[in-house]
Amino acid sequence: MSKPYVYITRQVPEQLVEPYREIANIGMWKHDDLPVDQETLEKEMAEADGIVTMLSDKVNEEILQKAKRLKVIANLAVGYDNLDLKVIENRGIVATNTPDVLTEATADLTFALLLATGRRLIEADQFVRQGKWKQWSPFLLAGSEMNQKNIGIVGMGRIGEAVARRAKGFGMEILYHNRTKKEEAEKELAAQFCSFEELLEKSDFVVCLTPLTDETKGLFNKDAFERMKQTAIFINVSRGAVVDEEALYDALVSGQIRAAGLDVFQQEPVDPNHPLLSLNQVVCLPHIGSASEETREAMIKLCLDNVTSVLQGKPPVTPIR
Ligand code: DGY
């Protein structure tokens, strides 16, 4: 019997793929830093039994119409707003994501953004490099500390809880807003459940980790920023579209809030002329939430485990639903 065919839409290290070549013929896109072009994606979609997609691939109805043999889509991310799940389900295709393996790396990055914005690390680095450091002074680049501050976590999933554990270690009070209450986190971390509005009003650091859905699109709008403290720092490690970027820019420029740390943008890669990038009080990252070597390797292996399980007639390891 011939082996099934699997396509990976980016080039990933051969040593990670090699063990799976016994089970499937595996092809991949020729670049590790450029997305697959539309023509190739359409051709591969038509031929593949399984596909590993990136969060930057839009897997919509149009492309899925080409997928005549496709049985499984493994998305290399915990978020899956790039997949049209309704169409995928209707076509009887299994979809999987990569939860758990990226929790700690993403929580680390979230906390790095809290520290970088709170203590103005990027501004300070540039200050030194630009030769502006002429003398020491008491309030030179003074920022906000973590100890005894309120962190408000919007979206208390696995990553939210891992951020809360770090926050507890830094002496912070933990507030959270989530669709369901998290009794364990309340017991273990003394986390307090709040309404969205109450969280915005009470938090010194507002951290957005909620998935992008129809309900959360534009959740952080003018009204949300107006409710925040003037000293508040806003962190987004979820998806750019959860935020109204114009409202965020206005809130920062008018001093409605103090700073922002952004790993994600509405349009990625972000335009270098985007207004938010002109502000010193904004720390910008290129969507690297889970980008540690260990985690990216684990994510790739999990995707290949998911694809090959389904193609061998076994249940997927981490199905989306
Ligand atoms: C995810 O997995 O959804 C993250 O955004 C990747 O960094």
Side-chain angles (χ1 to χ4, degrees):
M1 214 175 76
S2 68
K3 288 185 207 172
Y5 176 60
V6 173
Y7 186 68
I8 309 173
T9 66
R10 282 295 165 100
Q11 190 185 78
V12 298
E14 177 55 31
Q15 77 268 20
L16 298 178
V17 176
E18 209 271 331
Y20 299 88
R21 291 199 187 274
E22 249 179 60
I23 306 167
N25 292 320
I26 302 178
M28 52 181 154
W29 177 232
K30 57 189 172 209
H31 299 289
D32 62 358
D33 57 349
L34 284 179
V36 60
D37 65 52
Q38 194 63 19
E39 194 189 333
T40 308
L41 185 60
E42 287 182 14
K43 179 183 151 291
E44 296 292 347
M45 268 285 184
E47 288 170 12
D49 300 287
I51 191 157
V52 177
T53 52
M54 309 295 124
L55 56 84
S56 48
D57 299 324
K58 296 272 168 271
V59 184
N60 53 24
E61 184 160 18
E62 193 191 333
I63 194 78
L64 285 161
Q65 273 169 6
K66 314 275 174 200
K68 300 287 178 235
R69 321 166 40 99
L70 198 66
K71 290 167 199 67
V72 52
I73 300 173
N75 204 38
L76 189 87
V78 68
Y80 45 82
D81 47 281
N82 59 313
L83 306 182
D84 188 333
L85 281 189
K86 235 194 220 153
V87 179
I88 290 171
E89 272 172 11
N90 283 345
R91 297 181 75 93
I93 299 167
V94 175
T96 69
N97 64 344
T98 59
D100 299 321
V101 291
L102 49 60
T103 298
E104 302 302 328
T106 311
D108 282 350
L109 193 279
T110 307
F111 224 83
L113 271 178
L114 253 87
L115 289 165
T117 47
R119 296 301 300 275
R120 304 173 63 184
L121 298 187
I122 310 302
E123 273 180 87
D125 176 87
Q126 285 170 359
F127 184 82
V128 175
R129 286 173 200 272
Q130 290 165 3
K132 291 183 181 162
W133 188 20
K134 301 296 180 206
Q135 52 237 313
W136 185 89
S137 65
F139 286 94
L140 174 65
L141 287 157
S144 313
E145 67 185 59
M146 314 287 128
N147 188 38
Q148 296 192 343
K149 295 285 172 61
N150 290 342
I151 182 171
I153 301 172
V154 179
M156 193 70 152
R158 299 174 188 87
I159 300 169
E161 289 189 31
V163 170
R165 284 198 297 278
R166 284 157 179 74
K168 190 174 158 71
F170 274 78
M172 302 180 90
E173 301 295 327
I174 299 152
L175 312 176
Y176 76 98
H177 179 72
N178 200 52
R179 270 183 311 183
T180 53
K181 284 189 83 184
K182 295 293 180 115
E183 310 289 347
E184 282 293 296
E186 293 190 13
K187 256 193 252 149
E188 220 185 281
L189 305 164
Q192 290 171 47
F193 180 85
C194 293
S195 69
F196 181 58
E197 290 73 19
E198 191 186 354
L199 179 144
L200 298 177
E201 283 156 20
K202 287 188 174 169
S203 298
D204 300 293
F205 292 83
V206 176
V207 178
C208 171
L209 288 166
T210 189
L212 172 62
T213 62
D214 289 344
E215 291 77 49
T216 63
K217 195 168 179 197
L219 178 68
F220 288 91
N221 55 16
K222 187 170 184 288
D223 177 62
F225 292 117
E226 276 172 6
R227 285 177 188 271
M228 292 184 196
K229 295 182 183 183
Q230 285 198 329
T231 50
I233 294 180
F234 175 68
I235 306 291
N236 188 12
V237 186
S238 154
R239 288 292 182 269
V242 177
V243 176
D244 175 341
E245 290 179 344
E246 225 178 285
L248 173 60
Y249 176 82
D250 290 345
L252 287 160
V253 169
S254 65
Q256 187 75 54
I257 68 168
R258 180 173 283 172
L262 308 171
D263 185 41
V264 286
F265 294 85
Q266 273 178 21
Q267 198 63 49
E268 295 181 4
V270 70
D271 180 343
N273 297 314
H274 192 298
L276 281 167
L277 273 60
S278 67
L279 303 178
N280 283 339
Q281 68 272 45
V282 177
V283 175
C284 305
L285 301 178
H287 203 150
I288 54 168
S290 58
S292 71
E293 285 179 16
E294 299 88 332
T295 290
R296 285 291 155 87
E297 286 183 11
M299 289 166 72
I300 291 165
K301 282 188 201 159
L302 181 54
C303 283
L304 290 166
D305 284 342
N306 270 311
V307 167
T308 49
S309 283
V310 173
L311 295 180
Q312 287 176 307
K314 294 187 251 175
V317 190
T318 49
I320 286 174
R321 280 180 187 154

